[in-house]
Amino acid sequence: MLNLTKLARQMQGLSQHLTLEAAASRQSLELAQQHLKNAYECQQDLIDRQEKWRDRILFANATPIEPLETCINIPVPPKIHTVIATDGSQIAPNHHEIAYCYLLNIGRVVLHYGQNRHPLLDSLPEVFYRPEDLYMSRQWGIRTEEWMSFRRTASETTVLAELACDAAQEETPALAMVDGSLIYWFLEQLPMDARDRILPPILEAWQQMRDARIPLMGYLSASRSIETMNFLRLLACPHPVPDCKSHCPNQLEKVACKIFEQLRDTSVWATRLKPGQRSTLWRSNSPILELYGDQTIYFCYVHVGTEIARIEVPAWVAENATMLDQALGLMLAQVQKGYGYPVAIAEAHNQAVVKGGDRARFFALLEQQMIKAGLKNVGTSYKEARKRGSIA
């Protein structure tokens, strides 16, 4: 039980800390705005420096593909269209339960607009219980719980591609959406053998959507990214060349170019964009994208009315201006229909989430099957049983 009386004593210090942070953020924002204006005049020079010294730069940064002052109105989408989304949830393995296994549940949503057709709103559950599913990841030092989330990401994308290919047969404008980034940063830390079991199915699913000409989009709400702010650090660098490895090898320390520390990309673009506009298109330079082949990731920021959202798309969407504009229009319509958040993604989450009652029914069904199979002493551990109720 949370002791609110003791917690309240700490709140005053927290509020003072947040006040100081807000003041520092305002100063950083003013500085960033000035550097952004200065970068308008030397954008190509900064890109050239970035490209030449990319192997020596130690901070994540992106490359602008359009002029930095770009603010483009997003076009109105066609009335007849289809939006597809998937999301996932899980029941993690627990040694204290009646059986050591885990469940992935992939929510599926297909919404048809202007077509007088029923939507698809359901989920696909899958149980994993074989030793190769439960213990394979341990050879790479990866916990089963982490491996489960990686496999969930791959499953969400595979199911999304299946739905998109079905929708492509209708020859109606469509958009496939996922919640979160298309840049799978977690792959950087994985051994190559483990990575090869997660990334190839994802890229294959993307290729299927590419062949079907269904644009793919990742929607990031409340993004914490600083890739575009880090591009401006090239302008703030006091050294003749941005050779971080020689001049500033320890990026955890206070370095001269880190003048926008703690300032997110969204803070700056919120001052530049009006509702319904998108920012400059950027190409991410994350090292993991070297494994994506010709499906590297581009992104832009969009003022969706309620916030500045980060929108990510593969190269084959970004390089097709017509496809990109239509995809952004469909996304913005989804946000408006969802009162600030894409309705298809929200519904996919609702279909995927495993609630307390669902969890209880899952283990009850599992218990029935184990008893039917002739297993005895089926039940949770004493620890788990005691945690579910208090005798105090």
Side-chain angles (χ1 to χ4, degrees):
M1 181 180 294
L2 184 62
N3 190 318
L4 295 178
T5 302
K6 294 180 180 179
L7 181 62
R9 299 170 186 166
Q10 303 178 37
M11 288 299 153
Q12 183 177 1
L14 174 60
S15 62
Q16 292 174 347
H17 171 73
L18 293 176
T19 300
L20 294 175
E21 276 200 339
S25 180
R26 285 193 296 271
Q27 294 178 353
S28 295
L29 179 58
E30 293 174 359
L31 193 58
Q33 290 172 327
Q34 186 58 52
H35 275 71
L36 181 61
K37 291 180 181 179
N38 294 339
Y40 292 167
E41 307 299 326
C42 58
Q43 177 175 338
Q44 189 56 50
D45 178 60
L46 294 176
I47 294 174
D48 292 342
R49 287 160 60 88
Q50 180 190 47
E51 181 63 28
K52 182 176 181 180
W53 296 93
R54 61 183 305 174
D55 294 335
R56 307 292 295 180
I57 298 174
L58 298 180
F59 51 86
N61 58 91
T63 302
I65 304 303
E66 300 169 317
L68 288 169
E69 59 266 35
T70 298
C71 294
I72 297 178
N73 292 321
I74 294 175
V76 176
K79 292 183 178 180
I80 299 176
H81 62 269
T82 299
V83 180
I84 308 153
T86 57
D87 199 5
S89 185
Q90 69 280 320
I91 296 178
N94 186 343
H95 284 292
H96 297 285
E97 281 292 355
I98 59 177
Y100 191 69
C101 61
Y102 66 88
L103 171 87
L104 294 184
N105 194 41
I106 307 301
R108 307 189 305 170
V109 168
V110 181
L111 303 178
H112 306 284
Y113 295 94
Q115 303 171 62
N116 196 26
R117 298 176 59 191
H118 291 291
L120 172 67
L121 299 165
D122 70 2
S123 63
L124 293 178
E126 186 175 4
V127 182
F128 297 85
Y129 53 87
R130 294 185 177 87
E132 57 266 29
D133 295 324
L134 296 171
Y135 304 110
M136 176 194 300
S137 63
R138 296 187 180 181
Q139 64 181 303
W140 303 306
I142 303 171
R143 295 185 299 111
T144 301
E145 291 81 357
E146 289 182 292
W147 186 246
M148 172 186 63
S149 67
F150 302 158
R151 293 195 62 169
R152 189 189 80 186
T153 299
S155 295
E156 290 171 3
T157 310
T158 301
V159 172
L160 186 70
E162 293 172 355
L163 296 174
C165 290
D166 290 342
Q169 299 177 11
E170 305 296 331
E171 297 185 356
T172 300
L175 172 65
M177 302 185 74
V178 295
D179 178 26
S181 180
L182 300 180
I183 305 172
Y184 300 117
W185 312 93
F186 64 83
L187 292 173
E188 293 181 347
Q189 309 301 324
L190 299 186
M192 185 174 298
D193 290 344
R195 188 186 300 161
D196 288 344
R197 293 179 180 270
I198 301 298
L199 185 58
I202 293 175
L203 296 180
E204 181 181 351
W206 288 8
Q207 184 62 47
Q208 291 172 5
M209 287 183 270
R210 181 180 188 175
D211 294 340
R213 298 188 60 79
I214 302 294
L216 167 67
M217 176 181 293
Y219 185 95
L220 288 82
S221 177
S223 170
R224 301 181 63 85
S225 176
I226 56 173
E227 285 183 280
T228 67
M229 288 298 93
N230 279 349
F231 176 76
L232 297 182
R233 287 175 61 179
L234 297 172
L235 183 61
C237 178
H239 303 289
V241 293
D243 184 354
C244 301
K245 289 186 177 181
S246 298
H247 301 304
C248 311
N250 189 351
Q251 289 290 304
L252 296 178
E253 295 179 351
K254 183 66 176 179
V255 294
C257 68
K258 198 182 287 187
I259 56 177
F260 316 121
E261 196 169 12
Q262 307 300 328
L263 188 65
R264 303 177 191 176
D265 294 345
T266 53
S267 299
V268 173
W269 295 113
T271 67
R272 296 273 305 128
L273 299 173
K274 297 178 181 179
Q277 289 185 332
R278 75 163 174 88
S279 72
T280 309
L281 192 63
W282 299 75
R283 184 185 70 243
S284 177
N285 294 319
S286 171
I288 195 63
L289 295 180
E290 295 176 4
L291 301 177
Y292 281 42
D294 61 352
Q295 300 199 89
T296 193
I297 301 302
Y298 290 69
F299 66 91
C300 65
Y301 289 95
V302 177
H303 195 320
V304 298
T306 53
E307 66 169 334
I308 304 297
R310 173 170 163 136
I311 305 299
E312 297 182 354
V313 295
W316 48 272
V317 177
E319 293 167 358
N320 185 327
T322 301
M323 180 180 287
L324 177 62
D325 286 345
Q326 183 172 278
L328 290 172
L330 295 178
M331 175 277 299
L332 196 56
Q334 279 290 292
V335 174
Q336 293 167 351
K337 290 179 174 69
Y339 301 103
Y341 188 76
V343 64
I345 296 179
E347 289 301 325
H349 168 78
N350 291 335
Q351 292 296 320
V353 68
V354 179
K355 300 178 181 178
D358 297 328
R359 178 186 176 91
R361 284 188 287 271
F362 166 70
F363 283 111
L365 180 61
L366 180 59
E367 184 177 15
Q368 292 175 9
Q369 293 299 316
M370 294 174 71
I371 293 174
K372 187 181 295 186
L375 297 176
K376 298 181 180 180
N377 299 322
V378 176
T380 60
S381 70
Y382 285 105
K383 175 181 178 180
E384 184 67 20
R386 291 288 349 115
K387 286 168 63 178
R388 295 181 182 179
S390 173
I391 60 176

